[in-house]
Short mmCIF file of all heavy atoms in Angstrom, two decimals:
data_model
loop_
_atom_site.label_atom_id
_atom_site.label_comp_id
_atom_site.label_asym_id
_atom_site.label_seq_id
_atom_site.Cartn_x
_atom_site.Cartn_y
_atom_site.Cartn_z
N THR G 36 122.29 88.76 84.19
CA THR G 36 122.01 87.35 83.90
C THR G 36 120.70 86.91 84.54
O THR G 36 120.42 87.22 85.70
CB THR G 36 123.16 86.47 84.41
OG1 THR G 36 124.38 86.92 83.83
CG2 THR G 36 122.92 85.02 84.04
N VAL G 37 119.89 86.18 83.76
CA VAL G 37 118.65 85.57 84.25
C VAL G 37 118.79 84.07 84.10
O VAL G 37 118.93 83.55 82.99
CB VAL G 37 117.42 86.09 83.47
CG1 VAL G 37 116.17 85.36 83.91
CG2 VAL G 37 117.26 87.58 83.67
N ARG G 38 118.74 83.35 85.22
CA ARG G 38 118.96 81.91 85.21
C ARG G 38 117.66 81.11 85.15
O ARG G 38 117.65 80.00 84.64
CB ARG G 38 119.77 81.48 86.44
CG ARG G 38 121.16 82.10 86.49
CD ARG G 38 121.96 81.51 87.65
NE ARG G 38 123.30 82.06 87.72
CZ ARG G 38 123.64 83.11 88.47
NH1 ARG G 38 122.72 83.72 89.21
NH2 ARG G 38 124.88 83.57 88.48
N ASP G 39 116.57 81.65 85.70
CA ASP G 39 115.31 80.91 85.70
C ASP G 39 114.17 81.88 85.96
O ASP G 39 114.36 82.95 86.56
CB ASP G 39 115.31 79.82 86.78
CG ASP G 39 114.20 78.79 86.56
OD1 ASP G 39 113.58 78.82 85.48
OD2 ASP G 39 113.95 77.97 87.46
N VAL G 40 112.97 81.52 85.47
CA VAL G 40 111.76 82.32 85.67
C VAL G 40 110.66 81.38 86.13
O VAL G 40 110.65 80.19 85.80
CB VAL G 40 111.35 83.06 84.38
CG1 VAL G 40 112.33 84.16 84.05
CG2 VAL G 40 111.21 82.10 83.22
N ARG G 41 109.70 81.94 86.88
CA ARG G 41 108.61 81.12 87.40
C ARG G 41 107.41 82.01 87.72
O ARG G 41 107.55 83.06 88.36
CB ARG G 41 109.07 80.40 88.68
CG ARG G 41 108.07 79.39 89.22
CD ARG G 41 107.98 78.20 88.31
NE ARG G 41 109.26 77.54 88.16
CZ ARG G 41 109.46 76.54 87.34
NH1 ARG G 41 108.49 76.10 86.57
NH2 ARG G 41 110.65 75.97 87.24
N TRP G 42 106.22 81.57 87.26
CA TRP G 42 104.98 82.22 87.65
C TRP G 42 104.69 81.90 89.11
O TRP G 42 105.02 80.82 89.59
CB TRP G 42 103.81 81.74 86.80
CG TRP G 42 103.77 82.26 85.39
CD1 TRP G 42 104.01 81.54 84.25
CD2 TRP G 42 103.45 83.58 84.95
NE1 TRP G 42 103.86 82.33 83.15
CE2 TRP G 42 103.51 83.59 83.54
CE3 TRP G 42 103.10 84.75 85.62
CZ2 TRP G 42 103.26 84.73 82.80
CZ3 TRP G 42 102.86 85.89 84.87
CH2 TRP G 42 102.93 85.89 83.48
N LEU G 43 104.01 82.84 89.79
CA LEU G 43 103.57 82.61 91.16
C LEU G 43 102.12 82.10 91.14
O LEU G 43 101.78 81.30 90.28
CB LEU G 43 103.73 83.88 91.99
CG LEU G 43 105.19 84.37 92.12
CD1 LEU G 43 105.27 85.55 93.06
CD2 LEU G 43 106.12 83.26 92.55
N HIS G 44 101.25 82.54 92.05
CA HIS G 44 99.92 81.95 92.18
C HIS G 44 99.03 82.24 90.98
O HIS G 44 98.11 81.49 90.70
CB HIS G 44 99.26 82.43 93.47
CG HIS G 44 99.20 83.92 93.59
ND1 HIS G 44 100.26 84.68 94.01
CD2 HIS G 44 98.19 84.80 93.34
CE1 HIS G 44 99.93 85.96 94.02
NE2 HIS G 44 98.68 86.07 93.61
N ASN G 45 99.26 83.35 90.25
CA ASN G 45 98.52 83.62 89.02
C ASN G 45 99.40 84.45 88.11
O ASN G 45 100.61 84.60 88.34
CB ASN G 45 97.18 84.31 89.32
CG ASN G 45 97.34 85.55 90.19
OD1 ASN G 45 98.37 86.22 90.15
ND2 ASN G 45 96.34 85.83 91.01
N ASN G 46 98.79 85.01 87.05
CA ASN G 46 99.57 85.72 86.04
C ASN G 46 99.88 87.16 86.43
O ASN G 46 100.41 87.91 85.60
CB ASN G 46 98.81 85.72 84.71
CG ASN G 46 97.49 86.45 84.81
OD1 ASN G 46 96.70 86.17 85.70
ND2 ASN G 46 97.22 87.38 83.90
N THR G 47 99.56 87.58 87.64
CA THR G 47 99.85 88.95 88.07
C THR G 47 101.25 89.11 88.65
O THR G 47 101.74 90.24 88.74
CB THR G 47 98.82 89.41 89.11
OG1 THR G 47 98.82 88.49 90.21
CG2 THR G 47 97.43 89.43 88.51
N PHE G 48 101.90 88.02 89.05
CA PHE G 48 103.24 88.10 89.63
C PHE G 48 104.09 86.96 89.09
O PHE G 48 103.58 85.85 88.87
CB PHE G 48 103.19 88.02 91.17
CG PHE G 48 102.46 89.15 91.82
CD1 PHE G 48 101.14 88.98 92.22
CD2 PHE G 48 103.08 90.36 92.05
CE1 PHE G 48 100.45 90.01 92.82
CE2 PHE G 48 102.39 91.40 92.65
CZ PHE G 48 101.08 91.23 93.04
N PHE G 49 105.37 87.25 88.90
CA PHE G 49 106.32 86.21 88.51
C PHE G 49 107.68 86.52 89.13
O PHE G 49 107.97 87.69 89.46
CB PHE G 49 106.43 86.09 86.99
CG PHE G 49 106.98 87.30 86.29
CD1 PHE G 49 108.34 87.46 86.07
CD2 PHE G 49 106.12 88.30 85.82
CE1 PHE G 49 108.84 88.57 85.42
CE2 PHE G 49 106.61 89.41 85.18
CZ PHE G 49 107.98 89.55 84.97
N ALA G 50 108.48 85.49 89.31
CA ALA G 50 109.80 85.59 89.94
C ALA G 50 110.87 85.32 88.90
O ALA G 50 110.68 84.47 88.01
CB ALA G 50 109.93 84.62 91.10
N ALA G 51 111.97 86.01 89.02
CA ALA G 51 113.11 85.86 88.11
C ALA G 51 114.37 85.72 88.94
O ALA G 51 114.67 86.58 89.78
CB ALA G 51 113.20 87.05 87.16
N ALA G 52 115.10 84.63 88.72
CA ALA G 52 116.38 84.40 89.40
C ALA G 52 117.48 85.06 88.58
O ALA G 52 117.85 84.56 87.52
CB ALA G 52 116.63 82.91 89.55
N GLN G 53 117.97 86.18 89.05
CA GLN G 53 118.95 86.96 88.30
C GLN G 53 120.37 86.70 88.82
O GLN G 53 120.60 85.68 89.47
CB GLN G 53 118.55 88.44 88.35
CG GLN G 53 117.19 88.70 87.71
CD GLN G 53 116.75 90.14 87.75
OE1 GLN G 53 115.61 90.46 87.52
NE2 GLN G 53 117.65 91.07 88.06
N LYS G 54 121.27 87.57 88.49
CA LYS G 54 122.69 87.29 88.71
C LYS G 54 123.03 87.02 90.16
O LYS G 54 123.67 86.03 90.49
CB LYS G 54 123.52 88.47 88.20
CG LYS G 54 125.02 88.25 88.32
CD LYS G 54 125.79 89.43 87.75
CE LYS G 54 127.29 89.19 87.86
NZ LYS G 54 128.06 90.33 87.31
N LYS G 55 122.52 87.86 91.07
CA LYS G 55 122.83 87.68 92.48
C LYS G 55 121.58 87.40 93.30
O LYS G 55 121.54 86.43 94.07
CB LYS G 55 123.54 88.92 93.03
CG LYS G 55 124.01 88.76 94.48
CD LYS G 55 124.79 89.97 94.95
CE LYS G 55 125.29 89.77 96.38
NZ LYS G 55 126.05 90.93 96.88
N TYR G 56 120.55 88.23 93.15
CA TYR G 56 119.34 88.09 93.95
C TYR G 56 118.19 87.58 93.09
O TYR G 56 118.28 87.51 91.86
CB TYR G 56 118.95 89.42 94.60
CG TYR G 56 120.00 89.99 95.53
CD1 TYR G 56 120.67 91.18 95.22
CD2 TYR G 56 120.32 89.36 96.72
CE1 TYR G 56 121.62 91.70 96.07
CE2 TYR G 56 121.27 89.89 97.58
CZ TYR G 56 121.92 91.06 97.24
OH TYR G 56 122.88 91.57 98.09
N THR G 57 117.11 87.26 93.77
CA THR G 57 115.87 86.86 93.12
C THR G 57 114.86 87.99 93.26
O THR G 57 114.65 88.51 94.36
CB THR G 57 115.31 85.57 93.75
OG1 THR G 57 116.29 84.53 93.61
CG2 THR G 57 114.04 85.15 93.06
N TYR G 58 114.23 88.35 92.15
CA TYR G 58 113.32 89.48 92.12
C TYR G 58 111.91 88.99 91.77
O TYR G 58 111.74 88.01 91.05
CB TYR G 58 113.76 90.52 91.10
CG TYR G 58 115.09 91.18 91.42
CD1 TYR G 58 116.29 90.58 91.06
CD2 TYR G 58 115.15 92.39 92.10
CE1 TYR G 58 117.51 91.17 91.34
CE2 TYR G 58 116.37 92.99 92.39
CZ TYR G 58 117.53 92.37 92.02
OH TYR G 58 118.74 92.97 92.31
N ILE G 59 110.92 89.74 92.27
CA ILE G 59 109.51 89.48 91.98
C ILE G 59 108.95 90.69 91.25
O ILE G 59 109.09 91.83 91.73
CB ILE G 59 108.71 89.19 93.25
CG1 ILE G 59 109.20 87.89 93.90
CG2 ILE G 59 107.22 89.07 92.94
CD1 ILE G 59 108.47 87.52 95.17
N TYR G 60 108.34 90.45 90.08
CA TYR G 60 107.76 91.50 89.25
C TYR G 60 106.25 91.28 89.14
O TYR G 60 105.76 90.16 89.30
CB TYR G 60 108.39 91.49 87.86
CG TYR G 60 109.88 91.71 87.84
CD1 TYR G 60 110.77 90.64 87.93
CD2 TYR G 60 110.42 92.99 87.71
CE1 TYR G 60 112.14 90.83 87.91
CE2 TYR G 60 111.79 93.20 87.68
CZ TYR G 60 112.64 92.12 87.78
OH TYR G 60 114.00 92.31 87.76
#
C-alpha cells in the first residue's frame, strides 16, 4: 500500500509513505 508521495528538494529524490514504513527513492 502507498498512502502518499512527496518530492524532496528537487526531482532526484522522492518519498513514499507505504504500508508500514516511509521510503526514499
Side-chain angles (χ1 to χ4, degrees):
T36 304
V37 175
R38 298 186 179 93
D39 196 10
V40 290
R41 187 70 59 186
W42 287 109
L43 298 185
H44 55 279
N45 53 30
N46 63 309
T47 57
F48 297 99
F49 64 90
Q53 298 179 194
K54 183 178 180 180
K55 185 176 182 181
Y56 299 113
T57 301
Y58 295 85
I59 295 180
Y60 300 89

